[in-house]
Amino acid sequence: MPLRHYAVGKPWGKALILPSLAAAVPAALPAAGGHIRFADLGLHPDVFSIGFFTLRWYSLAYIAGILVGWWYLLKLLAQPGAPMARRHADDLVFYATLGIILGGRIGYVLFYAPEMILHPIRILRLWDGGMSFHGGVIGTSIGIILFARKHKLDWLRVHDYIACVVPFGLFFGRLANFVNGELWGKPADVPWAIVFERTVPFDVPEPARHPSQLYEAGLEGIVLFAILWFAFWRTKARYQPGKLVGLFVLGYGIARFIVEFFREPDAQFRGSWVEATGIHMGQWLCLPMIAGGLYLVLTAPGRRTRVEPIAGTESVA
């Protein structure tokens, strides 16, 4: 039976305190001996604290993702055939950031913690953690559409350019998950397995686990960025509306679906229809992404039209 974060006295992240599960822990969990212990890495969720103010790595990851993404977006907009001018970038970042925060939080509540609807104040406590990438995608997409309508821009091509910068945020976000010691993987006996803290009831030895956060940082961040970089800079994909965002959605869906096989399932779905299907909630949410991304990629050539430049110096038929 899969386990999630356990702590004494209060839940941590998505944790559920279920002491009765102690007896259900498989006896064959990999031994922790010889593996890296998370506590020995010297990592802490907080960057620093000054009085009542605390800066957390998770917050810094969001800030870094937005700033680096904005910088890279400006580089993309400087190329021929851009769907908007550089002056639009600041406004777009505001809409996208709002979409990330609102969509990510609302998505987390709807997909993973619907009980929070009965406690609205908890929904506002963003510093306690709990964001859904899939919700963030929906929120960001809505923000982009509103932005495009306001400025009379091609909303699908704007999506293409934003898709190219998202891997930065994913990379930093997954590294922050690792630093926080959360969203870890299933028990494993591979040489790089890590013994995280408070993953099982207090009276059960901690097993070594897959550092699935790093798997996701590599696939969703580095690999996905490389694919989109090649498509943008080495092909004419940016002149086929929907192709770049299609590659992103398809690539993320596949990467996340694969990593979920190494990631510990969410405890709140234990005994539910999700567990009965044999795949995780994250994988269920990725299925429409894979289908939608594949559709956008395959139909993109048919949407190729003459693109007049805004930031660049050429138009492409």
Side-chain angles (χ1 to χ4, degrees):
M1 180 176 292
L3 297 173
R4 208 55 174 161
H5 234 135
Y6 285 85
V8 178
K10 65 177 182 178
W12 182 341
K14 296 181 181 178
L16 296 177
I17 301 178
L18 301 174
S20 61
L21 286 178
V25 178
L29 289 178
H35 289 101
I36 302 171
R37 290 190 172 275
F38 183 78
D40 294 337
L41 298 178
L43 301 176
H44 193 276
D46 300 339
V47 182
F48 64 82
S49 295
I50 300 178
F52 63 88
F53 175 77
T54 299
L55 179 63
R56 299 176 65 87
W57 284 109
Y58 197 67
S59 301
L60 198 60
Y62 270 85
I63 296 172
I66 292 171
L67 291 179
V68 176
W70 174 74
W71 164 79
Y72 187 58
L73 177 62
L74 294 181
K75 292 180 66 68
L76 301 181
L77 293 180
Q79 303 308 306
M84 57 185 173
R86 290 171 61 95
R87 60 184 171 82
H88 292 125
D90 293 342
D91 199 16
L92 175 57
V93 168
F94 170 76
Y95 277 84
T97 301
L98 199 60
I100 291 171
I101 297 174
L102 293 179
R105 188 58 169 175
I106 294 173
Y108 174 77
V109 173
L110 295 179
F111 300 146
Y112 296 97
E115 70 279 0
M116 291 179 65
I117 296 176
L118 301 177
H119 307 281
I121 298 300
R122 288 180 56 195
I123 299 177
L124 302 177
R125 295 175 61 87
L126 297 178
W127 53 89
D128 287 340
M131 299 287 280
S132 164
F133 172 78
H134 298 89
V137 167
I138 296 173
T140 302
S141 184
I142 293 174
I144 291 174
I145 292 173
L146 294 176
F147 162 82
R149 291 188 61 180
K150 174 183 175 182
H151 295 282
K152 296 180 173 56
L153 301 173
D154 185 330
W155 64 271
L156 189 55
R157 297 199 67 233
V158 175
H159 273 81
D160 283 334
Y161 278 63
I162 289 298
C164 292
V165 309
V166 175
F168 290 112
L170 291 173
F171 178 74
F172 292 129
R174 293 311 180 190
L175 290 184
N177 289 147
F178 180 75
V179 172
N180 287 348
E182 61 188 5
L183 304 183
W184 18 256
K186 295 178 179 178
D189 199 22
V190 294
W192 56 87
I194 295 178
V195 182
F196 292 93
E197 299 177 297
R198 287 176 283 185
T199 68
V200 292
F202 65 90
D203 56 346
V204 177
E206 293 282 358
R209 296 178 177 276
H210 284 289
S212 56
Q213 314 96 321
L214 301 184
Y215 299 170
E216 292 190 80
L219 287 177
E220 301 168 7
I222 298 174
V223 174
L224 194 51
F225 172 78
I227 292 173
L228 292 168
W229 180 92
F230 180 84
F232 184 93
W233 296 97
R234 293 291 183 265
T235 74
K236 298 295 184 180
R238 67 180 183 268
Y239 301 118
Q240 299 177 22
K243 190 163 190 176
L244 290 171
V245 68
L247 284 172
F248 168 77
V249 173
L250 175 62
Y252 177 87
I254 293 174
R256 176 71 179 270
F257 195 91
I258 292 173
V259 174
E260 285 285 338
F261 285 114
F262 300 92
R263 182 169 158 176
E264 192 70 37
D266 297 287
Q268 59 265 48
F269 296 117
R270 187 178 295 109
S272 69
W273 66 270
V274 176
E275 185 180 48
T277 63
I279 63 175
H280 303 174
M281 174 57 83
Q283 291 172 307
W284 276 108
L285 295 175
C286 282
L287 291 178
M289 294 186 71
I290 294 173
L294 189 60
Y295 169 80
L296 287 172
V297 171
L298 294 178
T299 58
R303 288 188 292 272
R304 182 185 174 99
T305 57
R306 184 174 180 82
V307 176
E308 296 296 341
I310 293 180
T313 58
E314 303 174 8
S315 61
V316 178

